[in-house]
Amino acid sequence: MSLIATPQTMQFKQALQLKGGGVLQEYQLTFETYGELNAQKDNAVLICHALNASHHVAGTYEGVSKSEGWWDNMIGPGKPVDTERFFVIGINNPGSCFGSTGPMHTNPASGNIYGADFPVVTVEDWVDAQARLLDALGIEVLAAVMGGSLGGMQALSWSLQYPERVKHAIVIASAPNLNAENIAFNEVARRAIVTDPDFHDGHFYVHNVVPKRGLRIARMLGHITYLSDDVMNTKFGRMLQSGEDFKYSTLDIEFQIESYLRYQGDKFSEYFDANTYLLITRALDYFDPAKAYANDLSAALARAKAKFLLVSFTTDWRFAPSRSREIVQALISNKCDVSYAEIDAPHGHDAFLLDDKRYLNVVRSFFQQIKNNSGEPQ
Amino acid sequence: MSLIATPQTMQFKQALQLKGGGVLQEYQLTFETYGELNAQKDNAVLICHALNASHHVAGTYEGVSKSEGWWDNMIGPGKPVDTERFFVIGINNPGSCFGSTGPMHTNPASGNIYGADFPVVTVEDWVDAQARLLDALGIEVLAAVMGGSLGGMQALSWSLQYPERVKHAIVIASAPNLNAENIAFNEVARRAIVTDPDFHDGHFYVHNVVPKRGLRIARMLGHITYLSDDVMNTKFGRMLQSGEDFKYSTLDIEFQIESYLRYQGDKFSEYFDANTYLLITRALDYFDPAKAYANDLSAALARAKAKFLLVSFTTDWRFAPSRSREIVQALISNKCDVSYAEIDAPHGHDAFLLDDKRYLNVVRSFFQQIKNNSGEPQ
């Protein structure tokens, strides 16, 4: 059985104060829901997205082929997050370019497109915005909040910002903050975008151009960090794009990996917004719940009351298992209820989006153990 | 005691046929020498450079402060490669931007600057060019050839192209070929350069511009791959550029690692040639001695007659120890005389240029065991 997804949009007139000092006087949030909210309103699961994703988490758009949501293997009827039991919400964050208010929208204060004037947003701001959507939907407590990578940071932050509103938090392929190498890769991507002559200080929209060169480089670079060395060697190795002999050219494509990266970069530059890329990579850089606790992660997580599931993947060198283990240790030191699975998967950071039976079964088991008050199977 | 280095240039009128099909009808090579060639001419050591280096391997330029050669900690009087015993040659490769004929020079066929018309050069071509310099210097047999990274590939290739002319080969922090991830990083750097509007299809010289944006990105990216995750966290971590609070900006520098990378990128873009960057990264991509032997590295190395020293560094994720071990295994399978040291160093790929006593002592010991016919201490 396949889900049909329908995006919805909700307007918010109450100003959202942002951690960085800015404010969104009014904004809209785009979201999708799957399954039914039960009478007790206690079966809601919120899914938080990562850098390149959106509210379109599961199902397909009616009549649109290949329109599966980005976590469609995880969420749906009979799937690990079972929409026959749970009411699942996919939400797009402010600052994104997929529907919620972002840099491509009009700044009501000026009447112009926000562009680079869109205020800096943080993981904490996104969680605040998500909480308001739940308020509007009449959902006081989440059965679970869940995300991978940057989405996992949001799930973790939920458990700290709204500890009473989160029963379970599922944090996948994530980290308690970015390390220097993570920040470094983000910075190279940002510099590629910002120094593209078509960036025009972030106000390229009025020039009718898009800094595609920068976006391409950012995405090519991103892809390298999403894949493991192993899977790159298995999938591409030194295979040539055509024939068995080199063409001997500095400009032409020789290797299949080059073709793959160029294709991914070109595709991305056609649909992703450059200012959104800057904002989201900065939100990644800034996330650091331990910062206000003298870098003591254990102290930072002391507020958490949720039951946790952490999952990491052995070949993920972007957010290595050691980073997940830091969170696990800090939760254990607070006597939190935490399960942790380290999946021996070859696919690197990307593994959190892929089909891996052990991984999907870990999530399935965790959700099967989530009790609700509706008398359904435990 | 400090060496004073003096660059020399030699002209070659005999055409150099290149592996990629091109030809250099005439060319010059820039080089430096340290120490004295003995009467038997059997104490010569050739040093091959990597991506960003030159013939200026050791010593300083008279009256120029901070002009130490790039391997000055390794080569000099009383140093691991002792110039009181050995005649050491540093050579700049064709295609470079530091003196030997390269893209910034005039193409004698057209009278214009080569630019993108400079022919593709390979590791094998560089070795051929280096061999001609030795011919001109009257050196038939090298006591040793030595290099790190791409320089190590040249040392390995010497042992295959001219097995009778190499007594010892020292291959440091190198690999038998690039893997998919290595090629991927090269490709992102190349795309950044080539898509810079100031690149002008590689003929930017006549426009009086330099594709600095692309060069900056290439260098920032390179630096990430030269450093280990560990050393980045130790050196930079999440330390802020100023103060203890975030500025909350997508454009300003927040973290010290960002400042470091921008500085390195800016500096590089002031002196390095964009076409050279393309040529040298391609030479890296193309190096693959096993390719002509159905990817059987052991078969490819069967010709080698030198005694080998291989060195790798545990935290080098660009050319990981496993890549050096592939070479070691292939040499052993050919019953070659090979020593191998895996140095537990925190500095990543950069370690081959840094002071590490164990590393320097391994090289020192190896050179102390090199016999020569002059009756000096063995």
Side-chain angles (χ1 to χ4, degrees), chain B residues 104-161:
Chain B
M104 297 167 86
H105 290 132
T106 301
N107 180 353
S110 68
N112 300 322
I113 295 175
Y114 273 113
D117 298 332
F118 197 87
V120 166
V121 282
T122 62
V123 166
E124 289 81 358
D125 299 326
W126 289 336
V127 168
D128 284 340
Q130 291 161 9
R132 289 202 186 164
L133 177 72
L134 297 191
D135 294 344
L137 297 175
I139 298 163
E140 179 53 34
V141 175
L142 285 167
V145 60
M146 173 172 173
S149 191
L150 175 57
M153 291 174 171
Q154 292 161 63
L156 180 61
S157 206
W158 256 102
S159 75
L160 305 177
Q161 291 175 248

Side-chain angles (χ1 to χ4, degrees), chain A residues 97-374:
Chain A
C97 52
F98 294 126
S100 294
T101 299
M104 298 167 87
H105 290 134
T106 301
N107 180 352
S110 69
N112 300 321
I113 295 175
Y114 271 112
D117 298 332
F118 196 88
V120 166
V121 282
T122 63
V123 166
E124 289 82 358
D125 300 326
W126 289 336
V127 168
D128 285 340
Q130 291 160 9
R132 289 202 187 164
L133 177 72
L134 297 190
D135 294 344
L137 296 175
I139 297 163
E140 180 53 33
V141 176
L142 285 167
V145 59
M146 173 171 172
S149 192
L150 175 57
M153 292 174 171
Q154 293 162 63
L156 180 61
S157 206
W158 256 101
S159 75
L160 306 177
Q161 291 175 249
Y162 299 98
E164 309 290 347
R165 297 186 74 171
V166 182
K167 292 279 189 195
H168 301 82
I170 298 95
V171 178
I172 300 173
S174 196
N177 60 28
L178 295 199
N179 65 15
E181 190 183 77
N182 296 143
I183 297 170
F185 279 120
N186 280 349
E187 175 67 0
V188 177
R190 279 191 297 264
R191 295 312 290 169
I193 290 169
V194 165
T195 63
D196 184 330
D198 285 337
F199 183 66
H200 293 288
D201 294 327
H203 294 288
F204 48 88
Y205 316 92
V206 294
H207 297 268
N208 281 316
V209 291
V210 166
K212 287 191 182 181
R213 301 176 195 90
L215 282 166
R216 281 191 210 109
I217 296 297
R219 183 59 165 177
M220 291 172 82
L221 190 48
H223 259 279
I224 299 177
T225 70
Y226 303 154
L227 299 178
S228 72
D229 200 25
D230 282 355
V231 84
M232 265 207 187
N233 285 329
T234 308
K235 236 173 138 174
F236 303 103
R238 294 181 55 81
M239 280 184 289
L240 300 183
Q241 179 70 356
S242 58
E244 289 183 10
D245 295 322
F246 293 136
K247 286 180 251 178
Y248 291 106
S249 161
T250 57
L251 301 178
D252 292 346
I253 288 175
E254 287 275 19
F255 297 93
Q256 289 184 14
I257 181 66
E258 297 173 331
S259 170
Y260 171 79
L261 289 176
R262 288 198 200 182
Y263 173 78
Q264 294 293 343
D266 287 347
K267 205 171 63 167
F268 188 72
S269 73
E270 296 293 333
Y271 71 82
F272 209 84
D273 178 67
N275 285 306
T276 291
Y277 204 89
L278 303 182
L279 288 166
I280 299 192
T281 54
R282 261 309 191 213
L284 275 159
D285 291 355
Y286 285 137
F287 182 69
D288 189 8
K291 186 172 187 289
Y293 294 83
N295 298 320
D296 181 345
L297 187 61
S298 178
L301 302 192
R303 284 165 292 164
K305 296 189 170 181
K307 293 184 179 178
F308 284 85
L309 170 64
L310 277 280
V311 182
S312 72
F313 301 93
T314 48
T315 57
D316 183 353
W317 60 280
R318 191 170 207 240
F319 292 151
S322 60
R323 305 307 319 271
S324 284
R325 274 186 248 126
E326 289 177 42
I327 301 174
V328 171
Q329 294 290 351
L331 290 170
I332 287 173
S333 74
N334 284 302
K335 303 199 192 313
C336 288
D337 186 328
V338 53
S339 302
Y340 174 53
E342 200 166 297
I343 307 287
D344 186 8
H347 304 97
H349 190 60
D350 254 3
F352 90 87
L353 295 168
L354 301 177
D355 285 330
D356 181 297
K357 271 192 185 176
R358 294 158 304 175
Y359 162 45
L360 294 177
N361 282 337
V362 163
V363 177
R364 182 184 293 275
S365 298
F366 191 79
F367 272 89
Q368 280 171 345
Q369 288 166 33
I370 295 181
K371 292 187 183 184
N372 62 26
N373 300 322
S374 60

Side-chain angles (χ1 to χ4, degrees), chain B residues 19-328:
Chain B
K19 200 180 174 194
V23 61
L24 284 175
Q25 290 296 347
E26 53 186 83
Y27 57 99
Q28 68 179 32
L29 295 177
T30 301
F31 63 102
E32 294 181 4
T33 68
Y34 324 98
E36 299 287 335
L37 187 61
N38 63 15
Q40 299 82 355
K41 299 192 172 183
D42 66 0
N43 69 334
V45 176
L46 179 70
I47 307 294
C48 306
H49 71 76
L51 207 169
N52 176 41
S54 73
H55 50 277
H56 183 42
V57 176
T60 54
Y61 293 135
E62 188 140 35
V64 184
S65 66
K66 294 190 178 176
S67 64
E68 286 79 11
W70 55 270
W71 230 348
D72 191 59
N73 60 345
M74 181 68 86
I75 295 153
K79 294 183 181 174
V81 183
D82 189 350
T83 52
E84 305 208 338
R85 217 181 129 214
F86 293 102
F87 176 66
V88 178
I89 306 160
I91 185 169
N92 187 224
N93 289 322
S96 176
C97 51
F98 294 126
S100 294
T101 299
M104 297 167 86
H105 290 132
T106 301
N107 180 353
S110 68
N112 300 322
I113 295 175
Y114 273 113
D117 298 332
F118 197 87
V120 166
V121 282
T122 62
V123 166
E124 289 81 358
D125 299 326
W126 289 336
V127 168
D128 284 340
Q130 291 161 9
R132 289 202 186 164
L133 177 72
L134 297 191
D135 294 344
L137 297 175
I139 298 163
E140 179 53 34
V141 175
L142 285 167
V145 60
M146 173 172 173
S149 191
L150 175 57
M153 291 174 171
Q154 292 161 63
L156 180 61
S157 206
W158 256 102
S159 75
L160 305 177
Q161 291 175 248
Y162 299 97
E164 310 289 348
R165 297 185 73 171
V166 182
K167 291 279 189 196
H168 301 82
I170 298 96
V171 178
I172 301 173
S174 197
N177 60 28
L178 295 198
N179 66 15
E181 191 183 76
N182 296 143
I183 297 170
F185 278 119
N186 280 348
E187 174 69 359
V188 177
R190 280 192 296 263
R191 294 313 289 169
I193 290 169
V194 165
T195 63
D196 183 332
D198 285 337
F199 182 66
H200 293 289
D201 294 327
H203 294 288
F204 48 88
Y205 316 92
V206 294
H207 297 268
N208 281 317
V209 291
V210 166
K212 287 191 181 181
R213 301 177 195 89
L215 281 166
R216 282 193 210 109
I217 296 297
R219 184 58 164 178
M220 292 172 80
L221 190 49
H223 260 279
I224 299 177
T225 69
Y226 303 154
L227 299 178
S228 72
D229 201 25
D230 282 355
V231 85
M232 267 208 186
N233 285 328
T234 308
K235 237 174 138 173
F236 304 103
R238 293 181 54 82
M239 281 185 288
L240 299 184
Q241 179 70 358
S242 59
E244 289 183 10
D245 295 322
F246 292 136
K247 287 179 250 177
Y248 291 105
S249 161
T250 57
L251 301 178
D252 291 347
I253 288 175
E254 286 275 18
F255 298 93
Q256 289 184 15
I257 180 66
E258 297 173 332
S259 171
Y260 171 79
L261 289 177
R262 288 197 201 182
Y263 173 78
Q264 295 292 344
D266 287 347
K267 206 172 63 169
F268 188 72
S269 73
E270 297 292 332
Y271 70 83
F272 208 85
D273 178 66
N275 285 307
T276 291
Y277 205 89
L278 303 182
L279 287 167
I280 299 192
T281 54
R282 261 309 192 212
L284 275 159
D285 292 355
Y286 286 136
F287 182 68
D288 189 7
K291 187 172 186 288
Y293 294 83
N295 299 319
D296 181 344
L297 186 61
S298 178
L301 303 191
R303 283 165 293 165
K305 296 190 171 179
K307 292 184 181 181
F308 284 86
L309 170 64
L310 277 281
V311 181
S312 72
F313 301 92
T314 48
T315 57
D316 183 353
W317 60 280
R318 192 169 207 240
F319 292 151
S322 59
R323 305 308 318 273
S324 284
R325 274 186 248 127
E326 288 177 43
I327 300 173
V328 171

